[in-house]
Amino acid sequence: ETGVTQTPRHLVMGMTNKKSLKCEQHLGHNAMYWYKQSAKKPLELMFVYSLEERVENNSVPSRFSPECPNSSHLFLHLHTLQPEDSALYLCASSQDRGLSGNTIYFGEGSWLTVV
Amino acid sequence: AQSVTQPDIHITVSEGASLELRCNYSYGATPYLFWYVQSPGQGLQLLLKYFSGDTLVQGIKGFEAEFKRSQSSFNLRKPSVHWSDAAEYFCAVGAWGGGNKLTFGTGTQLKVEL
């Protein structure tokens, strides 16, 4: 138990569907992240939120839409995805995004399959 | 920008044998470094971290890593591997002042033979 909980753990969706991934952290952290993990590729940082404000968007396609309603919750809204978007999506949090060296704690991930 | 190389994609060791996983980084100043472990179907669990100070750091599950500035390395070691250590291991580097953006290596898959 890392203190970062992701749901659902597995999701299969069609290319025309709309779905959302949810992340909740119980660590009292101020920064939250979405990472994408594809086979044989390094983890890719997608989005960073600090105190509910998006501070980083690493050229992610608009079919991925993040939402951070408060410092404990982070969503990733998905629509009209492509099969190549199938991957493990990892949510993470850290005490503070602005202070380098903060340890990043990861959730267990949501396995997404786009058919 | 920083980068991380994990030269070994797969490593197989016998249970009870020693282990060393290699990590080399590229960064112009002193980085901060992490090792994470990922079991099948799971997220990443922090094993240990180096921010500053003593270059030999101890982590969970009996792992340790040594920061060697002259070699730009942060290799992970364990004196005696257990079958439960079979997993994928990721090295990550961050840059001070870089806003906590970590760069991850591509991982090393560890197999433990009984």
Side-chain angles (χ1 to χ4, degrees):
Chain A
E1 177 60 48
T2 65
V4 181
T5 304
Q6 291 187 240
T7 55
R9 293 294 314 280
H10 298 271
L11 177 64
V12 179
M13 61 184 288
M15 288 188 285
T16 58
N17 291 161
K18 288 185 180 181
K19 298 285 184 183
S20 296
L21 305 180
K22 178 183 176 183
C23 177
E24 182 174 2
Q25 58 96 359
H26 311 276
L27 301 170
H29 289 167
N30 294 317
M32 296 187 76
Y33 311 75
W34 279 116
Y35 282 84
K36 177 183 179 182
Q37 186 178 27
S38 305
K40 300 181 181 178
K41 293 176 68 176
L43 267 73
E44 302 171 56
L45 178 63
M46 300 175 71
F47 301 103
V48 181
Y49 276 82
S50 179
L51 297 172
E52 303 146 48
E53 177 184 349
R54 189 191 310 181
V55 296
E56 189 89 27
N57 176 351
N58 274 2
S59 303
V60 179
S62 59
R63 57 186 182 270
F64 294 91
S65 175
E67 178 190 2
C68 188
N70 55 62
S71 59
S72 298
H73 293 86
L74 184 65
F75 295 89
L76 187 62
H77 302 300
L78 316 167
H79 62 99
T80 60
L81 295 190
Q82 304 298 311
E84 60 265 29
D85 297 322
S86 299
L88 178 66
Y89 290 85
L90 291 163
C91 175
S93 71
S94 66
Q95 179 60 46
D96 191 307
R97 182 260 173 188
L99 288 174
S100 297
N102 275 292
T103 301
I104 294 179
Y105 294 90
F106 287 86
E108 294 192 330
S110 294
W111 283 98
L112 173 65
T113 303
V114 181
V115 297
Chain B
Q2 64 265 32
S3 66
V4 180
T5 302
Q6 293 181 248
D8 304 305
I9 299 174
H10 299 278
I11 282 186
T12 300
V13 299
S14 299
E15 189 176 38
S18 63
L19 171 70
E20 182 169 30
L21 302 182
R22 296 183 290 166
C23 172
N24 295 98
Y25 68 89
S26 173
Y27 179 58
T30 301
Y32 57 94
L33 298 146
F34 300 87
W35 274 100
Y36 286 89
V37 60
Q38 185 177 34
S39 298
Q42 303 296 314
L44 275 68
Q45 181 184 20
L46 179 69
L47 279 177
L48 46 79
K49 58 190 177 185
Y50 171 78
F51 286 170
S52 64
D54 193 344
T55 56
L56 183 64
V57 293
Q58 302 296 322
I60 62 171
K61 304 184 179 185
F63 285 93
E64 67 177 26
E66 186 170 12
F67 171 61
K68 292 185 176 180
R69 186 195 306 273
S70 62
Q71 298 176 19
S72 298
S73 69
F74 188 58
N75 294 347
L76 181 71
R77 300 192 295 250
K78 186 170 184 178
S80 178
V81 170
H82 189 263
W83 64 266
S84 60
D85 293 325
E88 190 155 23
Y89 292 79
F90 293 91
C91 181
V93 62
W96 291 102
N100 222 17
K101 289 171 63 174
L102 294 186
T103 299
F104 285 82
T106 50
T108 297
Q109 185 72 45
L110 173 65
K111 180 180 176 182
V112 180
E113 291 182 332
L114 299 177

